[in-house]
Amino acid sequence: MGGLAGIALAIGGSPKGALSSPMSYLRTLGPRADPATVLMWGLTVLSLAVVGIITVAVVAGVLVRRRRGSVESFATLPAQRGAGGLAWFWVGMPLTLISLVGVMGWTVSVLATIDSPKTRPRLILEVTGHQWWWQVRYLSDNPAETFVTANEIHIPTGEPVLVKLVSADVIHSFWIPALTGKTDAIPGQTNVAWLQADRSGRYGGQCAEFCGIEHARMGLEVIAEPPAAFEAWRQGQARPAALPGAGPEATGEEVFAGHCAVCHTVRGMSLPVVRHPGDEGVVAPDLTHLMSRETLAAGTVPNTVGGLSGWIGNPQALKPGARMPKTYLSGPQLSVVVRYLETLR
């Protein structure tokens, strides 16, 4: 199950730099989650009704017995079958059977409804769980429209979105409670989920399967926006990063290429990056358009100059156990790297 710390982080989010939408499954806003929510409330009401009926029957039975005689008189009564007892059985059994069959049929109907969307999704995502962040690849038949981002999923409103889930290390669980249920991301296997938001907004999510020391800080967020706004965002994300001009930004790119680019990717860098064989720069989030995101470190740190500086300077102080090591940059190096990263919009 999701860590309490991660859920508390999502619920208590600040306006910028935290998961801004409370993670609640009690109110949903999409056809993938709505039927399950209605079923949940229906079963809750039915369960409370059963408990209430049983409670009333037990209390009534106790009160009736007390009026008929004292406890001492029971010892002198002959053993005999009480009148009217079977009437409750013949009434209760059919009602119970009808209720159980009805609930089973309702549950099967909901499962069939949410199994797949009514229309074929045009947008397909590949979401990879890492310890402890999410890689999001937007797939397309056109290679120029394929790009990678991290920890924030933009989708158009009113359209189903297909999500292919994989894992790079251990079992994770993809969960956006307001839009979709939990689906595991398992190493060596591709699981499929789908979601749809009928209203614009930001919807918090969380890894819901314990996956290591920083499981509670493995958050993500879905940003649903009108189709036109989503398409503009998508076109911007597909473009490479703008080249830095002369000055601190260019110096920062040099420092980034020498210290950070072994793990991180920035599409369109003007400098070559030396990597070891087999290292494709995907062990850490793609930073091509870093400053378009609200948070860093999967919802842990606000994406501000201060948050970015603190995260680069000493990530272990903010997210102990994270795979990002301490960079050991000097003060001037850290300053120019942050200046460079601020250009990645």
Side-chain angles (χ1 to χ4, degrees), residues 15 36 51 70 73 101 111 117 119 121 176 181 188 195 211 218 231 249 263-264 286 337:
V51 171
S70 64
S73 66
V101 172
L111 291 175
T119 59
I176 313 293
L195 54 87
C211 54
M218 190 175 169
E231 192 57 37
E249 291 82 5
C263 298
H264 293 280
D286 185 300
V337 166

Side-chain angles (χ1 to χ4, degrees), residues 75-302:
T76 62
L77 291 176
Q80 59 183 7
R81 178 180 296 175
L86 286 178
W88 288 99
F89 175 83
W90 294 117
V91 172
M93 280 298 294
L95 290 178
T96 301
L97 184 61
I98 291 172
S99 299
L100 291 176
V101 172
V103 166
M104 182 182 69
W106 189 6
T107 303
V108 171
S109 174
V110 168
L111 291 175
T113 300
I114 66 177
D115 179 65
S116 59
K118 294 181 179 179
T119 59
R120 184 177 181 181
R122 295 188 303 114
L123 179 61
I124 301 176
L125 311 179
E126 181 185 79
V127 177
T128 304
H130 295 259
Q131 291 179 310
W132 291 269
W133 60 283
W134 301 92
Q135 176 182 290
V136 185
R137 183 183 299 275
Y138 283 73
L139 304 178
S140 174
D141 294 334
N142 182 359
E145 296 179 353
T146 299
F147 60 90
V148 177
T149 182
N151 301 318
E152 291 185 3
I153 301 175
H154 286 248
I155 63 172
T157 56
E159 295 184 22
V161 177
L162 186 68
V163 181
K164 297 181 178 181
L165 291 164
V166 295
S167 173
D169 34 54
V170 300
I171 297 177
H172 302 280
S173 187
F174 179 82
W175 186 35
I176 313 293
L179 300 178
T180 188
K182 302 174 184 178
T183 305
D184 283 349
I186 301 174
Q189 177 176 319
T190 299
N191 289 341
V192 177
W194 69 279
L195 54 87
Q196 179 176 328
D198 290 336
R199 185 184 305 174
S200 298
R202 307 180 74 91
Y203 304 95
Q206 172 70 29
C207 176
E209 182 76 30
F210 181 74
C211 54
I213 187 172
E214 283 299 336
H215 157 70
R217 292 190 180 96
M218 190 175 169
L220 71 158
E221 195 166 39
V222 172
I223 297 93
E225 48 201 351
F230 166 77
E231 192 57 37
W233 174 88
R234 181 175 183 171
Q235 292 177 8
Q237 292 289 313
R239 290 192 291 267
L243 296 177
E249 291 82 5
T251 304
E253 186 185 33
E254 294 178 7
V255 177
F256 179 89
H259 290 78
C260 312
V262 173
C263 298
H264 293 280
T265 296
V266 173
R267 288 178 282 114
M269 284 184 61
S270 61
L271 298 175
V273 177
V274 178
R275 296 193 174 109
H276 299 293
D279 186 352
E280 300 177 357
V282 295
V283 297
D286 185 300
L287 303 181
T288 304
H289 298 287
L290 171 66
M291 300 311 295
S292 67
R293 304 170 196 164
E294 291 286 326
T295 66
L296 305 168
T300 304
V301 186

